[in-house]
Amino acid sequence: MLRENTWRAKLFDLTLLIVLLLIAFLCLLPLWYTLAVSLSEKSAAAAGRVWLWPVGFNFNSYKQIMGDGSFFNSFWISIQRVVLGASVTFFITTLMAYPLSRSTKEFRMRNVFMWILVFTLLFNGGLIPWYMTIKELGLYDTIWGLVLGGGVPVFNVILIVNFFRNLPKELDEAALVDGAGPWRMLLTLYIPLAVPVLATVTLFTIVYHWNEFFHGLVLTSGQENYPLQTLIQQFVVVINTANMTEDQYKRMSELSNQTLNAAKIFIAMVPVLIIYPFLQRFFIHGITLGSVKE
């Protein structure tokens, strides 16, 4: 059916364009406001005079955060944590989800393991047993403690299980007729079809490992092993003025927690904003459409 090129259709297109631009503006406004606050002077931010443009434009907040020699070391630790964490979580959750998506005829203990997963989703042993387990395994003060401390998000496993279970059963039948075993079905059939949900889960994992700071606080013994978020959180919350130089103290007097927090939030958002466009395209494609032959 050809689309009518009338004034009503043009008016609808214009209205739709204005609405979408307004939604985009509302989505970008908090990010822009955060950047403006982080680039403003202390008094203006504290008085609430900052809106769309910085007042008393300066980079003092970013200089204070990045001036510390441990900043780039913590940044590198966070990058390692994200890469290793996303890889380990992808590997473990996929291998867990595939057998749990099978029927009880194929995997008799499926319901038992599924209930165990659901139980751990609702209840946990607490912080102290978790910490003692990490320490007894020799993972304390290592990058693997940060990676494996939350390496199996049960919610993500359930998401992938439900996606696998909703794939057409005819795919399994066709693969079995062709002589495919479980490993071949997983690698050549299920994983390619599950790219949207796997990309979503990977994005969740990246955001979690990048923004999480508490594990770095309790699983590391010194600032030299802090991930970026832990370092920034400690800098904002626990500011040690005893060892500051005169220049650092002067710069600190020009800052407020509001401008520092804004700089912290903006720095934390930038890597995710860079990664998101590369994964977003997988969210909108129905890859399984047409995958079953008539």
Side-chain angles (χ1 to χ4, degrees), residues 12 23 55-56 99 148 153 159 161-162 178 216 219 246 269 285 292:
F12 175 80
I23 294 174
V55 178
L148 299 178
L159 283 180
V161 167
N162 290 333
D178 291 339
L219 295 180
E246 182 179 351
M269 285 190 295
H285 293 297
V292 181

Side-chain angles (χ1 to χ4, degrees), residues 23-39 50-54 62 261-274:
I23 294 174
F25 173 76
L26 293 176
C27 292
L28 292 175
L29 182 60
L31 177 61
W32 182 260
Y33 173 74
T34 302
L35 178 62
V37 171
S38 69
L39 295 174
V50 182
W51 181 227
L52 291 179
W53 300 103
Y62 295 96
N261 284 333
K264 165 191 170 183
I265 293 170
F266 189 78
I267 290 175
M269 285 190 295
V270 168
V272 177
L273 291 175
I274 294 174

